[in-house]
Amino acid sequence: MQWWKEGVIYQIYPRSFQDSNGDGIGDIPGIINRLPEIAALGVKAIWLSPVYRSPQIDNGYDVSDYRSIDPLFGTMEDMERLIAGAEKRGIRIIMDLVVNHTSDEHEWFRKSRRREEPYTDYYIWKPPGGRKKRPGAASGKNPPNNWTSFFMEDAWTFDEVRREYYLHLFHKKQPDLNYKNPLVLEEVQGILRFWLDKGVAGFRCDVINVLWKESLDDGKKSSMLTGLEHYKCREGNHDILRRLRKETLDPAGAFTVGETAMVDLAEAKLLSDEARRELDMVFYFDHLEVDRRFARFVPKKFRAAELLKRLAKWQQGLSWNAVYLENHDQSRIVSHYGCDAGAGQKDSPWERSAKILAALEFTLRGTPFIYQGQEMGMTNFDFTGFDQVKDIETHNFNRLLKKFHLPLWLRWRWLRLSSRDNARTPVQWSGRPGAGFTEGAGPPWRGSPWLGSPWLGINGNYRELNYETQRDDPGSVLSFYKRMIRLREQSETLKYGAFKPLLATGALLMYSREDDTPGGTGEAYVAAFNFSSRRVKLSGEGRVLLRGNVVISNLDKHGAYDLVPALEPWEALVVKAR
Ligand code: TEU
Ligand code: CA
């Protein structure tokens, strides 16, 4: 029995989790102080977003030393205390492995740009492009090809020291490593061994499906990422993953979940197929883009039927799923697929829909991941303009939309929904100034420059929506998450049963989870969800399907259910059908 199939994994974004020294930035001692709350949730592991030394251009996803802790977050001793403290509570630590790129302040890059061996070819360097000016290149630039970055900029920057261009699929301060140089893979093996020796249980692997750049030829012009076809999920990438697994990860019994940008089902199957020994599971994005165009940036109408279609595709397409609804790059799910009206209020659309999403997550097949604050229904930020946003991706996309002359109101309407800062506002632990996140001296929100203010504004709804108001309330979102976690842990069918889509019309969707294994229990649960603020009548077929004893109700319904006529606004109902 693999522990990572049995239990739930909790993601912490350290800078927004708990500040312990009043500088307005979350840190590792803060996480240690909150281990009792994390243990009370009932999770089996913590995935820690990066705490390595970093210039913090991309909030730590730009690493300058993989073997040291950034002073912002604490010391290596703090990290060792966290690993030991978590282990005492039966909680494993999973580190964030960011090795598609480093920071440009990493020693390797500093030496590579000076052609100091053996680092000269640790990165992807090229002389300026062909003789003729490349069409579309910004003035004065002549990059080796036409690739664009995930952050909507050029993917090449000219280095004045080496007098060549270097590739960066993200920010220009995040140069891509060159995996065609075998020394790079050796360095990565060393990083894995360093942290496995510290006692971590595995890794969440950042953009782990774009490591191998097959060629540097021009890409087909694309609305999102020109050049993607040359580096996404290439055979060389699979070889790298198999080697890391065989030589380092399997001997240590380490767990891996890959974050796989733009992955499709066929690619995800190859990456997570147990027999291929590459990754244990992968994060895909399809189910979170039902109401979005251009990845997650341009909104469109949400349709439950589309959500069910995409859920079924991945639930039935992969042998095991990483089930998640939020992370540090995504908007808050209660504001996205739910309704955050009445945030913090009892029996509000916010409370019902936060619970409906918990019921969805914990009745899907796969390892559930909870992102910090999701368990209390934290909502998207309440910022009123770009001046309060810190995320470089949001600002870059805003600059791109400005080039297309989109008016400010439309740019803000789109980007306030998709900005990664929605998930990065400080966790709301209490209703006191600083929301129990920080006791810093500065004003308790909006991230003003004074020392001690939170690095990013605290959502103004912290007074009503916080951990303390929910901890002892059996009807709270937090208590509902705890119930879901326990229910799943106690049910082999909810953990391992087959997923079967049943029906979806308008805002209503239904599916079942069944133990249909030969000689199995034949147990089946039927789950029904109303993703709307209207009462939805059930069709004849729906009424017949939704029969049995209630096991989950976000409206506290109990007992036997037969021929349910309708679902209330934002109602989730799960019955044990047999
Ligand atoms: O994200 C990579 C990635 O695919 C996302 O940036 C995604 O493309 C973007 O949010 C649009 O959907 C990982 C980390 O999760 C992210 O925080 C880092 O910024 C990025 O890699 C670079 O390390
Ligand atoms: Ca701090």
Side-chain angles (χ1 to χ4, degrees):
M1 200 67 79
Q2 289 120 321
W3 67 265
W4 42 269
K5 288 187 174 177
E6 289 288 303
V8 175
I9 299 176
Y10 187 74
Q11 181 194 355
I12 290 179
Y13 192 68
R15 66 170 37 232
S16 303
F17 187 71
Q18 177 66 67
D19 176 22
S20 72
N21 61 352
D23 66 358
I25 299 171
D27 46 55
I28 294 171
I31 298 172
I32 293 169
N33 296 342
R34 289 290 178 188
L35 280 175
E37 285 83 353
I38 297 168
L41 194 52
V43 300
K44 289 280 179 284
I46 292 169
W47 150 26
L48 204 55
S49 275
V51 289
Y52 318 105
R53 190 175 293 277
S54 160
Q56 301 294 325
I57 284 300
D58 188 15
N59 292 351
Y61 282 91
D62 49 319
V63 180
S64 56
D65 181 355
Y66 293 93
R67 291 179 172 80
S68 74
I69 301 299
D70 195 283
L72 271 183
F73 300 121
T75 63
M76 186 55 84
E77 291 66 37
D78 292 328
M79 190 63 220
E80 288 159 356
R81 277 193 309 122
L82 172 59
I83 294 168
E87 189 177 8
K88 264 214 307 281
R89 292 172 171 81
I91 297 173
R92 294 168 170 87
I93 296 290
I94 296 161
M95 294 300 271
D96 208 316
L97 184 71
V98 187
V99 291
N100 170 67
H101 47 270
T102 70
S103 164
D104 66 345
E105 299 180 28
H106 195 291
E107 179 205 19
W108 301 343
F109 189 78
R110 288 206 311 272
K111 292 185 172 174
S112 184
R113 65 197 299 225
R114 288 184 167 72
R115 298 176 193 272
E116 287 182 33
E117 288 309 345
Y119 305 103
T120 305
D121 292 331
Y122 267 43
Y123 297 86
I124 299 172
W125 293 97
K126 279 289 174 202
R131 279 183 300 287
K132 66 184 183 330
K133 182 165 159 25
R134 180 163 300 287
S139 64
K141 293 199 173 175
N142 195 8
N145 65 30
N146 66 348
W147 293 9
T148 55
S149 85
F150 281 79
F151 288 157
M152 279 72 76
E153 299 174 307
D154 286 346
W156 296 90
T157 291
F158 186 75
D159 181 67
E160 294 299 338
V161 173
R162 180 156 166 162
R163 309 297 300 162
E164 286 190 320
Y165 280 90
Y166 64 88
L167 177 70
H168 51 86
L169 295 183
F170 289 91
H171 191 273
K172 65 182 178 187
K173 283 181 70 64
Q174 293 171 291
D176 279 51
L177 284 164
N178 169 22
Y179 279 87
K180 292 191 173 175
N181 178 348
L183 297 177
V184 168
L185 195 62
E186 282 179 32
E187 295 278 9
V188 171
Q189 305 259 32
I191 295 165
L192 293 174
R193 274 192 290 274
F194 176 86
W195 286 104
L196 289 167
D197 290 348
K198 288 280 178 198
V200 306
F203 301 90
R204 175 267 187 185
C205 308
D206 189 65
V207 278
I208 204 68
N209 63 321
V210 299
L211 304 181
W212 185 266
K213 283 70 176 179
E214 190 63 53
S215 93
L216 297 176
D217 297 340
D218 273 358
K220 286 194 301 294
K221 273 288 176 208
S222 132
S223 54
M224 279 299 291
L225 280 164
T226 303
L228 186 68
E229 71 274 19
H230 292 302
Y231 57 78
K232 181 177 73 129
C233 297
R234 304 310 306 258
E235 193 47 41
N237 207 124
H238 293 293
D239 292 342
I240 290 164
L241 291 174
R242 280 195 286 270
R243 271 198 60 191
L244 292 177
R245 195 78 203 246
K246 185 164 178 287
E247 295 167 15
T248 307
L249 295 163
D250 270 351
F255 161 81
T256 54
V257 51
E259 188 232 15
T260 47
M262 322 293 273
V263 75
D264 65 30
L265 181 60
E267 292 165 340
K269 278 184 178 186
L270 293 176
L271 287 163
S272 61
D273 173 352
E274 206 155 348
R276 288 171 54 95
R277 306 305 304 146
E278 293 187 23
L279 297 163
D280 286 318
M281 60 186 83
V282 297
F283 288 130
Y284 47 82
F285 300 83
D286 203 20
H287 63 305
L288 292 177
E289 296 171 358
V290 166
D291 59 344
R292 297 289 166 83
R293 287 193 184 86
F294 300 113
R296 45 183 238 280
F297 294 107
V298 178
K300 68 180 182 185
K301 184 168 169 32
F302 171 86
R303 291 186 319 105
E306 182 60 22
L307 175 59
L308 182 62
K309 187 174 132 208
R310 295 190 187 195
L311 288 174
K313 168 181 162 188
W314 294 90
Q315 285 277 299
Q316 297 177 322
L318 296 181
S319 58
W320 192 255
N321 274 251
V323 175
Y324 77 103
L325 298 176
E326 291 190 16
N327 63 36
H328 63 290
D329 293 333
Q330 296 289 337
S331 49
R332 289 287 185 178
I333 196 66
V334 68
S335 301
H336 184 185
Y337 285 168
C339 171
D340 54 21
Q345 307 299 328
K346 294 300 294 173
D347 200 30
S348 60
W350 161 80
E351 185 176 70
R352 286 188 177 195
S353 61
K355 291 178 181 178
I356 198 175
L357 289 153
L360 177 79
E361 172 158 4
F362 283 87
T363 51
L364 290 174
R365 188 175 194 278
T367 300
F369 286 74
I370 298 176
Y371 175 65
Q372 67 180 43
Q374 176 188 341
E375 74 278 14
M376 59 182 94
M378 277 181 66
T379 66
N380 278 354
F381 59 49
D382 57 350
F383 298 166
T384 52
F386 288 105
D387 59 314
Q388 297 146 54
V389 169
K390 298 283 170 65
D391 182 19
I392 47 173
E393 181 195 72
T394 308
H395 288 300
N396 284 0
F397 202 65
N398 183 35
R399 214 178 5 262
L400 181 71
L401 293 177
K402 259 195 229 169
K403 276 188 196 159
F404 290 101
H405 309 298
L406 267 70
L408 172 63
W409 68 267
L410 184 59
R411 286 185 274 120
W412 179 243
R413 189 168 123 195
W414 286 358
L415 287 170
R416 74 177 177 81
L417 289 177
S418 64
S419 173
R420 301 189 301 179
D421 275 359
N422 279 307
R424 301 177 179 185
T425 59
V427 172
Q428 296 160 201
W429 294 104
S430 78
R432 289 188 301 282
F437 163 73
T438 181
E439 306 303 328
W445 56 296
R446 289 284 175 263
S448 52
W450 296 333
L451 176 68
S453 281
W455 73 278
L456 185 66
I458 294 173
N459 193 308
N461 64 22
Y462 76 93
R463 297 174 187 81
E464 306 78 32
L465 197 172
N466 62 70
Y467 185 87
E468 273 182 7
T469 56
Q470 296 189 31
R471 182 187 48 218
D472 305 323
D473 169 4
S476 67
V477 175
L478 176 65
S479 298
F480 193 79
Y481 265 90
K482 289 178 181 175
R483 276 176 50 207
M484 291 299 99
I485 292 169
R486 272 197 308 279
L487 178 81
R488 178 185 177 277
E489 262 182 8
Q490 291 155 8
S491 165
E492 295 307 295
T493 302
L494 286 181
K495 277 185 282 194
Y496 300 107
F499 173 95
K500 298 191 177 172
L502 295 178
L503 63 85
T505 52
L508 176 74
L509 75 80
M510 287 175 75
Y511 55 74
S512 69
R513 296 292 312 283
E514 304 178 15
D515 176 356
D516 57 4
T517 50
T521 61
E523 195 177 69
Y525 291 95
V526 173
F529 306 88
N530 174 8
F531 282 98
S532 79
S533 50
R534 299 177 310 284
R535 192 166 185 273
V536 172
K537 280 195 181 345
L538 283 177
S539 64
E541 180 197 10
R543 295 183 194 195
V544 167
L545 288 166
L546 196 56
R547 301 166 99 168
N549 279 323
V550 176
V551 288
I552 300 173
S553 164
N554 67 340
L555 304 184
D556 284 334
K557 292 180 177 176
H558 303 282
Y561 247 68
D562 195 353
L563 299 181
V564 175
L567 287 185
E568 299 307 315
W570 300 111
E571 180 173 12
L573 190 64
V574 181
V575 297
K576 190 160 179 303
R578 55 178 190 275

